Amino acid sequence: MSAQAPPPIPTRIAPIQTAVDILDSLPGGSVVLSKVEYLLNWSRAASLWPLTFGLACCAIEMMAAWAGRFDLDRMGVIPRATPRQADCMIVAGRCTIKMAPIVRRLWEQMPEPKYVISMGSCATCGGPFYYDNYSILKGIDQVVPVDVYVPGCPPRPEALIEGLLKLQEKIKAEPFLRRAVPA
Amino acid sequence: MSWALVERLRERFPEVEPFPREAPHEAGAPVGRPGRHEARGPTYHTPGAFVPAARLLEVARVLRDEAPFGLDYCSFVTGVDRPEQDLVEVVYHLFSMDERHELLLKVRVPRRDPRVPSVSALWPAANWHEREAYDLLGVVFEGHPDLRRIMMTDDWEGHPLRKDYVYQEPRWLVDLGAQRQREIEGLRLGDRA
Amino acid sequence: MALRTEELMLNMGPQHPSTHGVLRLVVTLDGENIVDVVPDIGYLHSSVEKMMEYRTYLQNVALADRGMDYLTALANEEGYLLAVERVGRIEVPPRARYLRTIMLELQRLSSHLVWLGTWGIDLGATTVFLYCFRERERILDLFEQATGGRLHHVYFRPGGVYEDLPDGWTDRVLAFCDEFLGRVDEYHELLTGNPIFLARVQGVGVLPRDRAIAMGACGPVARASGVDFDVRKAFPYEAYGELAFDVPVFQEGDCFARYRVRMEEMRQSVRIIQQAIAKLPDGEIRSKVQVNVKLPRGEAYARTESPRGDLGVYLVSEGEDAPYRVKIRAPSFSNLFALTEMMRGWKVADVIAILGSVDIVLSDVDR
């Protein structure tokens, strides 16, 4: 506190401006104004922790995206092995009908808000395994809602990074505090 | 080397029928040209023999244990579905780690009720391969310790590698799809769905 | 008063970070000790064998990349095409045989690097993963220059390869080989002398020789148990008969032996690549084969040494432009069956170490 008396508080100014004046007059004090929602979305987008649901070939490219050259960690994307700690789920690779209930269950185990990235053609639509096939699920969007589709067979790590950036954009634009929460 | 082995097997078991030998490759023969070979019978590039199902265990035991054979390694067991002949051919590939010779065995069984004795007691490695052949082709291996589906779910209907198999989406997947549709419409997942 | 004990069933997978895919293990435990392990597979069964019956021989090359072992796409192509070329009696020109050999050995390096990296993570050594993927990216760059793909190449064709090498590619490969030998030493320094690593792998998960053969183990797993068998030596295909290399064999049969087999194989692969580049002949890269080739009636079983072991393809042709039946004899499938034998009697903490040392790829197991 400085030795001077604090300035008189004007009555006609909005209380938020008052708070800013008081804080700014403190030594070292300063204020950044923002919407709470923006702040929340910014922090959520900057620390996406995906559940790595590696199923097939795309899982190898997903691993490569976390390794030295591409280094997804620099975007705050840190792989999680359990759905309980995850914000989004990267389904990488072809999903069989035998595996489909497990994809669904792990998605249900993730806490809200949750997102799904479908990595690769197989997870997106069945890909090269669409025709004459009896065991592959034709797209994981039959069992879980998907936010971002990453095309490719398999997508390069750059493509996965682009997919995560798209998801960040989506999260930042979301009316997070005003959304309808599912029952 | 291995064709000689087939001859030895035939000497031992006269009811064993060796594969027709491949004709020696004529020099400069056209490669992969269509229509030229169709009238001929199949060429067997890997030595082997047809074995009657009733004698399979006996033959297999001799092949594994006795002197010129010593085939101690079972590479795979599978089946070939041949609806036009009303047959399922069960194929075994055997190999000797010491002598480095190999042998294919084929057992022809009727397509409606394909049953062969299990060789998993002789070669434990055959265990899973027999389960796979049972799962995908419906061949029943009698005496197998644990004959259940290995690739598909336990409640799967039909045997997918049969030529007349028709794929049907399982009931629960249809239900799950319908549930997902209801979620999209009813549970207000918003613009995410 | 006697303490009442009972066995505990522990379910591991199918979604588990250390199962290298979608493998489910049902482990029966007595306290910490493993009584029994029942692997449950089929979570990645992609019906490749059925799909191959509906596609032409050329289309199946792309399918062999994806549907089989995805870490060793070129080895799958090789196994499949070897069967096709045997049934169709298709000749491969010498230059194509050498190109295939170089590619196969590069693929072996990249596959073993993924194994070493992920096994390192399983055992708590994350640095190994970063080191291995650093070198692997170099190999993938080389692949990309020559074939256009990182993981799935579709580079081999019936009767040869798709394209000749780009300019200066062999020099870049040789430069990489020289550097890579130093990197292998680096891995050795990092792991082989590390007492924590040794405590977790040495003497663990022993598979004796006779059981290895009976359970159908193949490849590095069998060679770590004293089975001196490598398809490249026993039934040479492509250019392997003309190149000098050693097959590392160890007698111990434990996780450490499997580790040492693969580490030594990486050195030998470098040796094969260097020789093959030195001997690389000029000439045609592809014999004249129709795009929509029809094979004569016949059947053949072709076996190759994929990085995981003895990969065989049993092909039945009925004179059509598509195979009548393809059976893929997957090395991981057999090795995974041998896993039950290795795990019995060890502690629950060894499950991951043993599983990682077998180096299974679930896409290869389930196909």
Side-chain angles (χ1 to χ4, degrees):
Chain A
M1 262 296 180
S2 61
Q4 289 175 345
I9 298 169
T11 49
R12 307 269 320 251
I13 298 177
I16 184 77
Q17 187 57 51
T18 317
V20 169
D21 286 345
I22 293 171
L23 286 171
D24 275 347
S25 65
L26 298 176
S30 66
V31 164
V32 177
L33 271 187
S34 171
K35 285 196 287 185
V36 177
E37 195 172 78
Y38 177 82
L39 190 68
L40 279 172
N41 279 345
W42 172 76
S43 51
R44 284 195 310 137
S47 65
L48 267 182
W49 287 10
L51 164 71
T52 56
F53 209 115
L55 295 169
C57 346
C58 298
I60 306 298
E61 290 295 67
M62 185 166 71
M63 273 155 57
W66 267 289
R69 181 177 294 184
F70 300 99
D71 191 18
L72 261 180
D73 287 7
R74 69 203 151 106
M75 275 156 229
V77 182
I78 298 168
R80 295 282 98 190
T82 157
R84 307 285 184 195
Q85 304 168 348
D87 301 310
C88 79
M89 179 162 97
I90 303 178
V91 184
R94 52 186 182 267
C95 173
T96 57
I97 290 170
K98 197 172 177 179
M99 195 69 191
I102 294 146
V103 176
R104 174 79 190 182
R105 184 184 302 168
L106 284 169
W107 178 79
E108 281 166 356
Q109 285 177 352
M110 275 167 40
E112 284 280 346
K114 53 191 171 189
Y115 306 90
V116 178
I117 294 178
S118 154
M119 183 180 178
S121 306
C122 304
T124 302
C125 63
F129 296 92
Y130 190 88
Y131 293 106
D132 313 317
N133 193 305
Y134 55 84
S135 60
I136 298 283
L137 192 68
K138 283 28 172 209
I140 56 154
D141 47 8
Q142 289 185 21
V143 291
V144 292
V146 178
D147 294 87
V148 177
Y149 296 94
V150 181
C153 186
R156 300 175 61 89
E158 293 98 317
L160 177 64
I161 294 171
E162 171 73 9
L164 283 161
L165 291 178
K166 283 270 179 251
L167 184 59
Q168 289 188 350
E169 271 173 35
K170 179 170 180 167
I171 291 173
K172 281 181 187 163
E174 218 172 41
F176 181 56
L177 294 176
R178 288 164 284 156
R179 81 212 151 100
V181 180
Chain B
M1 170 190 75
S2 295
W3 283 105
L5 207 66
V6 182
E7 292 304 317
R8 299 293 294 273
L9 183 64
R10 187 177 165 82
E11 285 163 20
R12 182 75 192 267
F13 295 97
E15 62 273 34
V16 162
E17 183 195 337
F19 292 166
R21 273 296 288 275
E22 65 173 316
H25 180 28
E26 59 273 44
V31 159
R33 182 165 298 173
R36 188 170 172 274
H37 305 277
E38 275 160 19
R40 287 173 27 184
T43 314
Y44 294 90
H45 296 263
T46 309
F50 294 103
V51 179
R55 302 295 303 274
L56 176 69
L57 273 186
E58 204 180 328
V59 172
R61 191 176 297 279
V62 168
L63 284 177
R64 189 190 67 163
D65 294 334
E66 290 189 15
F69 309 110
L71 299 158
D72 52 359
Y73 188 88
C74 177
S75 295
F76 68 83
V77 179
T78 187
V80 182
D81 184 29
R82 295 194 183 271
E84 70 280 4
Q85 297 167 32
D86 210 19
L87 282 177
V88 173
E89 289 176 341
V90 186
V91 186
Y92 301 81
H93 183 268
L94 307 173
F95 178 68
S96 163
M97 277 291 175
D98 298 323
E99 303 291 329
R100 303 279 154 89
H101 46 217
E102 59 179 354
L103 196 66
L104 274 177
L105 291 188
K106 274 197 179 187
V107 181
R108 288 178 158 160
V109 283
R111 196 161 178 273
R112 271 188 219 104
D113 184 26
R115 284 174 184 278
V116 282
S118 166
V119 296
S120 58
L122 291 169
W123 292 283
N127 187 323
W128 276 16
H129 288 283
E130 286 182 346
R131 274 177 71 188
E132 192 188 330
Y134 164 72
D135 186 355
L136 302 181
L137 284 145
V139 182
V140 177
F141 293 89
E142 287 170 330
H144 189 285
D146 183 24
L147 195 65
R148 56 194 170 85
R149 286 185 183 269
I150 186 167
M151 291 297 176
M152 313 306 292
T153 47
D154 288 338
D155 56 353
W156 198 262
E157 282 173 20
H159 300 287
L161 277 185
R162 292 276 183 114
K163 291 282 177 188
D164 53 2
Y165 175 79
V166 180
Y167 168 70
Q168 271 195 325
E169 206 133 271
R171 184 69 218 159
W172 62 263
L173 184 60
V174 178
D175 291 346
L176 193 62
Q179 184 195 340
R180 169 123 165 74
Q181 196 62 34
R182 283 197 300 278
E183 280 172 3
I184 294 169
E185 288 159 5
L187 276 176
R188 290 182 300 159
L189 279 167
D191 54 352
R192 284 182 38 206
Chain C
M1 192 181 104
L3 199 62
R4 194 178 68 88
T5 61
E6 60 184 37
E7 287 181 346
L8 174 74
M9 298 273 272
L10 181 71
N11 180 55
M12 199 180 137
Q15 206 283 326
H16 189 280
S18 294
T19 52
H20 296 223
V22 282
L23 169 69
R24 179 168 164 238
L25 291 175
V26 182
V27 189
T28 311
L29 295 172
D30 177 15
E32 286 267 300
N33 299 312
I34 302 167
V35 178
D36 197 13
V37 179
V38 181
D40 184 10
I41 62 172
Y43 289 97
L44 200 56
H45 180 59
S46 341
S47 43
V48 178
E49 291 173 9
K50 183 86 172 174
M51 289 171 76
M52 280 191 169
E53 295 170 10
Y54 292 91
R55 277 157 182 71
T56 64
Y57 287 104
L58 185 62
Q59 286 173 328
N60 279 338
V61 178
L63 199 57
D65 268 6
R66 291 163 172 81
M68 294 153 72
D69 188 347
Y70 45 73
L71 280 179
T72 62
L74 288 167
N76 303 340
E77 292 175 20
E78 175 65 28
Y80 165 72
L81 285 178
L82 215 58
V84 169
E85 281 156 8
R86 205 164 286 177
V87 173
R89 292 194 170 120
I90 298 169
E91 297 285 337
V92 181
R95 184 172 173 85
R97 290 195 292 118
Y98 273 83
L99 287 181
R100 282 186 182 186
T101 311
I102 296 168
M103 291 296 175
L104 287 171
E105 290 308 312
L106 277 175
Q107 184 83 79
R108 192 179 310 275
L109 289 180
S110 82
S111 167
H112 280 359
L113 284 173
V114 173
W115 157 77
L116 185 61
T118 49
W119 197 38
I121 289 194
D122 293 349
L123 296 174
T126 317
T127 321
V128 190
F129 169 73
L130 297 173
Y131 278 24
C132 290
F133 269 66
R134 177 186 63 191
E135 268 74 72
R136 185 169 180 272
E137 287 291 340
R138 295 276 308 276
I139 300 178
L140 295 189
D141 283 349
L142 292 171
F143 273 142
E144 216 174 339
Q145 290 158 12
T147 71
R150 276 167 62 90
L151 274 187
H152 300 325
H153 311 286
V154 202
Y155 184 61
F156 298 169
R157 292 287 188 277
V161 297
Y162 167 57
E163 246 182 0
D164 213 331
L165 299 175
D167 289 340
W169 191 80
T170 48
D171 298 334
R172 288 194 284 274
V173 172
L174 287 176
F176 170 76
C177 284
D178 292 340
E179 191 194 318
F180 185 72
L181 286 177
R183 300 295 192 195
V184 175
D185 293 338
E186 207 172 295
Y187 308 148
H188 269 297
E189 269 173 40
L190 199 61
L191 287 175
T192 315
N194 186 331
I196 302 171
F197 175 75
L198 289 182
R200 289 205 66 177
V201 299
Q202 210 160 25
V204 171
V206 177
L207 183 71
R209 183 179 191 272
D210 56 330
R211 294 308 294 164
I213 293 176
M215 302 296 273
C218 55
V221 177
R223 285 196 286 277
S225 298
V227 181
D228 185 6
F229 176 68
D230 188 315
V231 183
R232 292 174 293 171
K233 278 275 188 218
F235 303 99
Y237 53 99
E238 304 309 343
Y240 286 114
E242 300 152 32
L243 305 171
F245 63 98
D246 299 326
V247 178
V249 179
F250 288 87
Q251 304 299 325
E252 292 88 347
D254 58 351
C255 293
F256 190 53
R258 292 190 271 279
Y259 160 80
R260 284 200 289 173
V261 166
R262 293 203 183 88
M263 293 299 266
E264 187 54 34
E265 272 187 11
M266 286 202 258
R267 287 182 196 278
Q268 296 299 330
S269 292
V270 171
R271 206 175 139 199
I272 294 173
I273 294 169
Q274 284 169 338
Q275 288 178 56
I277 287 180
K279 284 190 177 180
L280 186 65
D282 288 330
E284 288 287 304
I285 56 159
R286 197 174 169 188
S287 60
K288 290 204 168 29
V289 179
Q290 282 182 332
V291 173
N292 197 7
V293 61
K294 280 190 181 181
L295 295 195
R297 289 182 68 192
E299 53 178 70
Y301 179 60
R303 48 202 305 178
T304 58
E305 184 75 21
S306 102
R308 285 170 230 303
D310 181 356
L311 171 76
V313 172
Y314 174 67
L315 185 102
V316 182
S317 161
E318 285 292 311
E320 303 292 322
D321 56 359
Y324 186 77
R325 172 89 169 89
V326 181
K327 159 74 187 174
I328 300 154
R329 191 266 182 205
S332 298
F333 186 78
S334 301
N335 285 342
L336 185 61
F337 182 62
L339 181 82
T340 52
E341 188 84 9
M342 293 176 213
M343 278 199 187
R344 247 169 240 144
W346 293 96
K347 304 275 185 209
V348 66
D350 298 325
V351 169
I352 297 301
I354 299 172
L355 184 64
S357 75
V358 179
D359 186 23
I360 48 162
V361 165
L362 264 294
S363 162
D364 197 24
V365 174
D366 296 342
R367 304 177 301 288

